[in-house]
């Protein structure tokens, strides 16, 4: 299961690398009316990976039973993420995104298998597997589809 999760998380890296050939006009233009640009979407995912590495993984490493919860202000965090990316080049955004995701995959691959199936405290009773699937893999797939659709 751990290997399947990390493989699915790795699919996002392949996708990001495939965007390298996009010109800046496509990269920085909104994907639709009132929508973010590809740049904003990629930076947004990058910052969630960073949050996992800095906060969630830290809790998993330090506590036997950390609470796995949603971010208390995920909309605000999304906006701060997009602001963080303003002024970043495509290359810098892609490199930081790849670095954060690779670190996330490395962190997960080093965790004991039992950490993926145990139910953690919290209102939603997440396992690490269900948490990763909901907040990262399905999130990746949603945004990858948005970007692919905008490029067709």
């Amino acid at each position: 299961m751990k290997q399947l999760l990390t493989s699915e998380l790795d699919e996002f890296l392949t996708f990001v690398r495939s965007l390298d050939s996009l010109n800046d006009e496509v990269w920085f233009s909104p994907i639709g009316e009132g929508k973010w640009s590809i740049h904003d979407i990629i930076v947004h995912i990058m910052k969630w990976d960073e949050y996992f590495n800095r906060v969630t993984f830290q809790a998993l490493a330090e506590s036997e039973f950390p609470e796995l919860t949603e971010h208390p202000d995920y909309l605000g965090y999304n906006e701060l993420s997009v602001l963080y990316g303003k002024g970043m080049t495509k290359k810098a955004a892609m490199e930081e995104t790849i670095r954060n995701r690779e670190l996330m995959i490395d962190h997960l691959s080093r965790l004991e298998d039992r950490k993926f199936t145990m139910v953690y405290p919290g209102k939603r009773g997440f396992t690490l597997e269900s948490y990763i699937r909901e907040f990262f893999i399905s999130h990746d797939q949603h945004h990858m589809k948005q970007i692919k659709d905008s490029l067709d």
Side-chain angles (χ1 to χ4, degrees):
M1 174 204 332
K2 176 173 41 175
Q3 189 172 7
L4 177 61
L5 284 174
T6 56
S7 175
E8 290 179 61
L9 289 166
D10 191 58
E11 288 174 19
F12 180 68
L13 289 172
T14 302
F15 179 74
V16 169
R17 289 181 179 114
S18 77
L19 301 175
D20 190 42
S21 63
L22 295 178
N23 65 46
D24 281 359
E25 182 179 346
V26 173
W27 179 262
F28 288 104
S29 295
I31 63 169
E33 184 71 33
K35 301 281 187 186
W36 285 342
S37 66
I38 294 171
H39 175 83
D40 294 339
I41 293 168
I42 297 301
V43 169
H44 153 79
I45 293 172
M46 171 192 74
K47 291 301 281 182
W48 280 113
D49 288 2
E50 178 190 89
Y51 181 83
F52 178 88
N53 291 329
R54 188 174 36 85
V55 176
T56 308
F57 181 77
Q58 191 69 28
L60 286 165
E62 292 176 357
S63 172
E64 185 66 22
F65 299 105
E67 204 170 325
L68 290 182
T69 61
E70 296 176 64
H71 189 284
D73 181 19
Y74 64 91
L75 293 175
Y77 191 78
N78 287 345
E79 291 304 315
L80 288 175
S81 296
V82 171
L83 285 173
Y84 173 85
K86 296 297 181 207
M88 284 183 95
T89 65
K90 179 178 91 169
K91 182 179 191 273
M94 289 180 70
E95 287 175 353
E96 191 169 336
T97 297
I98 291 166
R99 213 173 22 254
N100 281 335
R101 181 56 61 102
E102 285 176 340
L103 181 59
M104 181 183 187
I105 290 168
D106 181 59
H107 283 322
L108 289 170
S109 67
R110 290 188 284 125
L111 285 175
E112 304 158 15
D113 289 344
R114 67 180 182 79
K115 292 244 184 191
F116 288 86
T117 56
M118 60 189 284
V119 177
Y120 290 89
K123 289 188 276 183
R124 306 240 336 243
F126 286 112
T127 63
L128 183 55
E129 178 190 15
S130 65
Y131 184 84
I132 295 292
R133 287 206 178 281
E134 181 170 335
F135 294 112
F136 293 91
I137 294 170
S138 67
H139 185 244
D140 290 350
Q141 290 168 346
H142 164 74
H143 286 303
M144 288 188 301
K145 181 177 180 340
Q146 277 185 315
I147 292 169
K148 287 175 187 173
D149 289 350
S150 77
L151 296 172
D152 287 341

